[in-house]
Coordinates of all heavy atoms in Angstrom, one line a residue:
N1 N 78.6 149.4 69.8 CA 77.7 150.5 70.2 C 76.3 150.0 70.6 O 75.4 150.8 70.8 CB 77.6 151.6 69.2 CG 77.0 151.1 67.9 OD1 76.8 149.9 67.7 ND2 76.7 152.0 67.0
T2 N 76.2 148.7 70.8 CA 74.9 148.1 71.1 C 74.9 147.5 72.5 O 75.9 146.8 72.9 CB 74.5 147.0 70.1 OG1 74.6 147.6 68.8 CG2 73.1 146.4 70.4
I3 N 73.8 147.8 73.3 CA 73.7 147.2 74.6 C 72.3 146.6 74.7 O 71.3 147.3 74.4 CB 73.9 148.2 75.7 CG1 75.3 148.8 75.7 CG2 73.6 147.6 77.1 CD1 75.5 149.9 76.8
I4 N 72.2 145.3 75.0 CA 70.9 144.6 75.1 C 70.8 144.2 76.6 O 71.7 143.6 77.1 CB 70.8 143.4 74.2 CG1 70.9 143.9 72.8 CG2 69.5 142.7 74.4 CD1 71.2 142.7 71.8
T5 N 69.7 144.6 77.2 CA 69.5 144.2 78.6 C 68.1 143.4 78.7 O 67.1 143.9 78.1 CB 69.4 145.4 79.6 OG1 70.7 146.0 79.4 CG2 69.2 145.0 81.0
E6 N 68.1 142.3 79.2 CA 66.9 141.5 79.3 C 66.8 141.0 80.7 O 67.7 140.5 81.4 CB 67.1 140.3 78.4 CG 65.9 139.3 78.4 CD 64.7 140.0 77.7 OE1 64.8 140.8 76.8 OE2 63.5 139.6 78.1
D7 N 65.6 141.2 81.4 CA 65.3 140.7 82.7 C 64.7 139.3 82.5 O 63.7 139.2 81.8 CB 64.3 141.6 83.4 CG 64.9 143.0 83.8 OD1 66.2 143.0 83.9 OD2 64.2 143.9 84.0
L8 N 65.2 138.4 83.2 CA 64.8 137.1 83.2 C 64.0 136.8 84.5 O 64.6 136.8 85.6 CB 65.9 136.0 83.1 CG 66.8 136.2 81.8 CD1 68.0 135.3 81.9 CD2 66.0 136.0 80.5
A9 N 62.7 136.6 84.5 CA 62.0 136.2 85.7 C 62.3 134.8 86.0 O 62.1 133.8 85.2 CB 60.5 136.3 85.5
T10 N 62.8 134.5 87.2 CA 63.3 133.2 87.5 C 62.2 132.4 88.2 O 62.4 131.2 88.3 CB 64.5 133.4 88.6 OG1 64.0 134.1 89.7 CG2 65.6 134.0 87.9
G11 N 61.1 133.0 88.5 CA 60.0 132.1 88.9 C 60.2 131.7 90.4 O 61.0 132.1 91.1
K12 N 59.3 130.8 90.8 CA 59.4 130.3 92.2 C 60.7 129.6 92.4 O 61.2 128.9 91.5 CB 58.2 129.4 92.5 CG 56.9 130.0 92.4 CD 55.8 129.1 92.7 CE 54.4 129.8 92.6 NZ 53.4 128.8 92.8
G13 N 61.3 129.8 93.6 CA 62.5 129.1 93.9 C 63.8 129.8 93.4 O 64.9 129.4 93.6
G14 N 63.6 130.9 92.6 CA 64.8 131.7 92.2 C 65.7 130.9 91.2 O 66.9 131.1 91.2
T15 N 65.1 130.2 90.3 CA 65.9 129.5 89.2 C 65.4 130.0 87.9 O 64.3 130.2 87.6 CB 65.8 128.0 89.3 OG1 64.4 127.6 89.1 CG2 66.3 127.5 90.7
I16 N 66.4 130.0 87.0 CA 66.1 130.3 85.5 C 65.7 129.0 84.9 O 66.3 128.1 85.1 CB 67.3 130.9 84.9 CG1 67.7 132.3 85.5 CG2 67.0 131.1 83.4 CD1 69.1 132.8 85.0
P17 N 64.6 129.1 84.2 CA 64.0 127.9 83.6 C 65.0 127.2 82.6 O 65.8 127.9 81.9 CB 62.8 128.3 82.8 CG 62.4 129.6 83.4 CD 63.7 130.2 83.9
R18 N 65.0 125.8 82.7 CA 66.0 125.1 81.8 C 65.8 125.5 80.4 O 66.7 125.6 79.7 CB 65.7 123.6 82.0 CG 66.6 122.7 81.2 CD 66.4 121.3 81.4 NE 67.2 120.5 80.6 CZ 68.0 119.5 80.9 NH1 68.1 119.3 82.2 NH2 68.8 118.9 80.1
S19 N 64.6 125.7 80.0 CA 64.3 126.0 78.5 C 65.0 127.3 78.1 O 65.5 127.5 77.0 CB 62.8 126.1 78.3 OG 62.2 127.2 79.1
T20 N 65.1 128.3 79.0 CA 65.8 129.5 78.8 C 67.3 129.3 78.6 O 67.9 129.8 77.7 CB 65.5 130.6 79.9 OG1 64.1 130.8 80.0 CG2 66.2 131.9 79.6
I21 N 67.8 128.5 79.5 CA 69.3 128.2 79.4 C 69.6 127.4 78.1 O 70.6 127.7 77.5 CB 69.7 127.3 80.6 CG1 69.5 128.2 81.9 CG2 71.1 126.8 80.5 CD1 69.7 127.4 83.2
E22 N 68.7 126.5 77.7 CA 68.9 125.7 76.5 C 68.8 126.6 75.3 O 69.6 126.4 74.4 CB 67.8 124.6 76.4 CG 68.1 123.5 77.3 CD 66.9 122.5 77.4 OE1 65.8 122.8 76.7 OE2 67.0 121.5 78.1
Q23 N 68.0 127.7 75.3 CA 68.0 128.6 74.2 C 69.3 129.4 74.1 O 69.8 129.6 72.9 CB 66.8 129.7 74.4 CG 65.5 129.0 74.1 CD 64.4 130.0 74.4 OE1 64.5 131.0 74.9 NE2 63.1 129.6 74.1
F24 N 70.0 129.8 75.2 CA 71.2 130.4 75.1 C 72.3 129.5 74.7 O 73.2 129.9 73.8 CB 71.6 131.0 76.5 CG 70.9 132.3 76.8 CD1 69.9 132.3 77.7 CD2 71.1 133.4 76.1 CE1 69.2 133.5 78.0 CE2 70.5 134.7 76.4 CZ 69.5 134.6 77.4
I25 N 72.2 128.2 75.1 CA 73.2 127.2 74.6 C 73.0 127.0 73.1 O 74.0 126.9 72.4 CB 73.0 125.9 75.4 CG1 73.5 126.0 76.9 CG2 73.8 124.8 74.7 CD1 73.1 124.8 77.7
T26 N 71.8 127.0 72.6 CA 71.5 126.8 71.2 C 72.2 127.9 70.4 O 72.8 127.7 69.3 CB 70.0 126.7 70.9 OG1 69.5 125.5 71.6 CG2 69.8 126.6 69.4
V27 N 72.0 129.2 70.9 CA 72.6 130.3 70.2 C 74.2 130.2 70.1 O 74.8 130.4 69.1 CB 72.2 131.6 70.8 CG1 73.1 132.8 70.3 CG2 70.8 131.9 70.6
A28 N 74.8 129.8 71.2 CA 76.2 129.6 71.3 C 76.7 128.5 70.3 O 77.6 128.6 69.6 CB 76.7 129.3 72.7

């Protein structure tokens, strides 16, 4: 019954920062 929505600002060039990706990998 929980929905979490997060907007990730990709910055210049339309890429998600490596540090953000690494945080998701760390959680997994």
